[in-house]
Structure formats: structure tokens, C-alpha cells
Amino acid sequence: GGALAFAAAMALLGPLAGLAAGAAGPWGTARLLRARRERYRRAVDAGAGELAVALADALGAGHSLRGALVEATRSVGGRTGEELRRTAAGLAAGARTDAALEGLARRTRSRRIAVIVAACLVQRGAGGDLARLLRECAAGFADEARLADEVRAATAQARFTGVVVVALPLGGAALAELASPGFVAGLLGSLLTAWLVGLAVALQVAAAVAIRRLGTVRW
């Protein structure tokens, strides 16, 4: 990522921009990979309720936990279904049930999947009505998702206003450049104004990050 960013910026903007882009390349690549993992985790989270219900149905039909994990692969789809099929393949290859469940939680990094796995492991050690517990977990996941949607809807206008406020200086600079070509270059041509512009950009970036963090729903 650093090499590609350096080469592109070097060809388009010059050596200083190339060095800056090359230094920022690894950070940008790490952010992209982290965002991809987070999207995958959310996709798995979205199917956790379906997985819990499928396991409860299989247990209610008389399957053992090991058999329920295999049976649930017939009805669970999406990313959660893919991970469940990987778990079932491990079981078919001879993996222990506890190890397969722990591997599922470790791979997905999903809090909801971790709750399901913890319920299964506790039931194996202490007994109890696992099917009922899984149905309660599914109902809790649904309530959590509904509450998260309500929170996002309630804060959507405020988050959009924050984005607009952050983008206003960029729009103003673009309009000034259109009205008077060379305006931005003139600002960057002086040490004092270039320093002030850099400070303003840093503050805008910090404001954008703060708005994003304040608008993120966490549990």
C-alpha cells in the first residue's frame, strides 16, 4: 500500500507528496482491512439470531449439540451460514465440539456469536434447557438490533449536520478557486498562510473523526 501510494503521488504531484502518501499508505491499507473485517463481523452479527433459532429447532427435534450444528447449516445463510459450514466441516473432520465452537467465536470476532458459543459451552458443563436459552438469545438480539436502528434514526440529522459543517470550508475554498484561479496556490505560497491552512485542515480532520466517533453506536 505504501509503495503504490508513493508511486501514484510521485507521478502526479511530485516527490514531497509521494513521500507523504508513502508514509500514509500503510495506515490507509490497515484502515481498509479493518473496515473490511468490521463489515464482515456485522454481517455475521446480523445472522446470529437466525443461527440461534436454527440450533434451538434442531435441539428441539432431538439432535445433540454436535448434530444440531450440522443440521443448522441447512437453514442458516449469509456470512453466518458460511462460518457455520466451516464449523460443521471441522466437526466432520473429527474436531471436538468445544474446540469447533471456540474456533467459530474466534474467527468471527462477533459478540453475538460469542454469546451463543458461551451458552452452548455452559450447557455442556452445567446442563439446562439450551434450546430455550438460545431462543431467548435470539429475542435479545432482535431487540438490540431494533434499538440500534432507533438510535441511528434519532441521530441521523445531527450526524448529517456535522458532515455538512466539516465540508463547508472545502466548498468555500473550491468556490474561491473558481472565482479567482490561483487563490489556493497563493495561500500555500506563503509560509504563514500555508501553516494556517495546514492547521485548519488538521482541525477539520480532527472534527470529522470526533463526529464519527460520537455518532457510532456502541454496546
Side-chain angles (χ1 to χ4, degrees):
L4 290 175
F6 172 77
M10 179 75 175
L12 296 175
L13 301 175
L16 292 180
L19 290 174
W27 176 84
T29 303
R31 293 288 297 179
L32 288 175
L33 293 174
R34 188 181 307 170
R36 182 179 179 181
R37 287 195 299 267
E38 179 63 18
R39 286 195 301 271
Y40 189 86
R41 185 196 63 78
R42 287 198 299 266
V44 174
D45 254 358
E50 182 183 2
L51 171 59
V53 171
L55 288 175
D57 291 342
L59 291 168
H63 290 279
S64 65
L65 177 58
R66 190 181 185 92
L69 289 168
V70 177
E71 183 66 21
T73 58
R74 302 176 183 271
S75 58
V76 180
R79 298 297 189 184
T80 310
E82 293 177 7
E83 290 295 338
L84 184 59
R85 283 187 286 275
R86 289 181 63 183
T87 302
L91 292 173
R96 294 186 302 107
T97 304
D98 291 2
L101 287 170
E102 291 170 355
L104 173 64
R106 184 171 56 252
R107 286 196 312 271
T108 59
R109 303 181 183 180
S110 165
R111 183 174 55 83
R112 294 180 183 178
I113 297 296
V115 169
I116 294 174
V117 169
C120 294
L121 295 179
V122 168
Q123 188 273 342
R124 283 175 63 81
D129 189 351
L130 179 58
R132 179 182 177 184
L133 179 57
L134 289 173
R135 294 187 191 281
E136 292 177 354
C137 288
F141 296 156
D143 291 340
E144 180 185 11
R146 183 169 56 254
L147 180 59
D149 290 339
E150 292 176 358
V151 171
R152 293 189 185 94
T155 59
Q157 182 177 356
R159 287 185 283 112
F160 177 75
T161 301
V163 173
V164 171
V165 170
V166 170
L168 278 177
L170 298 177
L175 290 175
E177 181 66 21
L178 288 175
S180 177
F183 174 78
V184 175
L187 289 178
L188 299 178
S190 170
L191 178 62
L192 177 60
T193 55
W195 185 83
L196 292 175
V197 168
L199 180 61
V201 170
L203 291 174
Q204 288 294 103
V205 171
V209 172
I211 290 171
R212 179 177 177 83
R213 287 186 175 274
L214 289 172
T216 301
V217 178
R218 293 186 176 88
W219 302 95

